[in-house]
Amino acid sequence: GAAKPFAFLAIPAVSCVAWLAYFIKIYGTPDPSAPYGGEEGSFRFVADGLAGLFFDQRFGLFANAPVLIFAFAGIGVMLTRRSWRRHALEMLFVVVPYLIVVTYVAMWWGGRSAPARFLVPVLLWMAIPAASAWSVMTSRATRVTALGALGFTAFASIVLVFAADGS
């Protein structure tokens, strides 16, 4: 009956109330953009924000973690395979609205933070499409390229963590 949907929605609802309460307590307003000066959002920022999140030389995902190019290509692979399509659509159902929300404000880079900071919550999920992409790679050159991208990504991550004590 009604108990299952209520139980399913109870934790996100309580989390939302606690999140807004945090902003009220710290900033005196329930507005999550308060730490950024209450910056107004607009859909006109979304295209630039997405381009920046993925391609910016300093804060972009692909410049710092090129192996994830294969992960995003894996979503395309999953969409073409009937047995994997539902999983890809479910991922897109969550990730696409999230990306629109985080790029709705002009400051898509997240201030003084790690590259692609706002993509971090969805990156662990990208292991699934990355594995899908790997499973259909038949060319040795493509696999070597993917492994090279993985090596560079690991190196860049180590540099970000250890150089200048992670600052």
Side-chain angles (χ1 to χ4, degrees), residues 116-166:
R117 181 253 181 273
F118 291 124
L119 285 173
V120 170
V122 300
L123 293 182
L124 188 58
W125 282 8
M126 297 313 294
I128 297 166
S132 300
W134 180 264
S135 73
V136 300
M137 287 182 197
T138 56
S139 163
R140 181 181 180 120
T142 306
R143 284 194 174 213
V144 167
T145 303
L147 289 172
L150 177 61
F152 178 84
T153 300
F155 174 75
S157 298
I158 290 168
V159 169
L160 285 170
V161 169
F162 292 107
D165 294 324

Side-chain angles (χ1 to χ4, degrees), residues 2-167:
K4 285 185 181 182
F6 178 77
F8 178 74
L9 296 173
I11 292 174
V14 169
S15 296
C16 179
V17 169
W19 186 57
L20 293 175
Y22 166 83
F23 284 101
I24 291 169
K25 175 73 175 165
I26 302 296
Y27 301 103
T29 177
D31 183 4
S33 67
Y36 307 108
E39 182 179 306
E40 292 294 319
S42 172
F43 283 110
R44 66 185 167 94
F45 298 135
V46 172
D48 287 345
L50 287 171
L53 274 176
F54 289 107
F55 302 107
D56 183 75
Q57 293 178 8
R58 182 172 178 195
F59 292 104
L61 180 69
F62 296 147
N64 291 282
V67 72
L68 291 167
I69 293 169
F70 292 95
F72 281 91
I75 293 174
V77 169
M78 292 174 71
L79 288 170
T80 63
R81 302 285 172 105
R82 182 178 160 97
S83 60
W84 298 344
R85 187 172 300 135
R86 178 176 174 186
H87 298 295
L89 291 171
E90 289 169 350
M91 288 179 69
L92 290 172
F93 180 75
V94 173
V95 172
V96 169
Y98 172 76
L99 289 176
I100 291 170
V101 168
V102 300
T103 57
Y104 185 75
V105 293
M107 196 175 82
W108 56 264
W109 58 92
R112 292 182 47 96
S113 61
R117 181 253 181 273
F118 291 124
L119 285 173
V120 170
V122 300
L123 293 182
L124 188 58
W125 282 8
M126 297 313 294
I128 297 166
S132 300
W134 180 264
S135 73
V136 300
M137 287 182 197
T138 56
S139 163
R140 181 181 180 120
T142 306
R143 284 194 174 213
V144 167
T145 303
L147 289 172
L150 177 61
F152 178 84
T153 300
F155 174 75
S157 298
I158 290 168
V159 169
L160 285 170
V161 169
F162 292 107
D165 294 324
S167 65

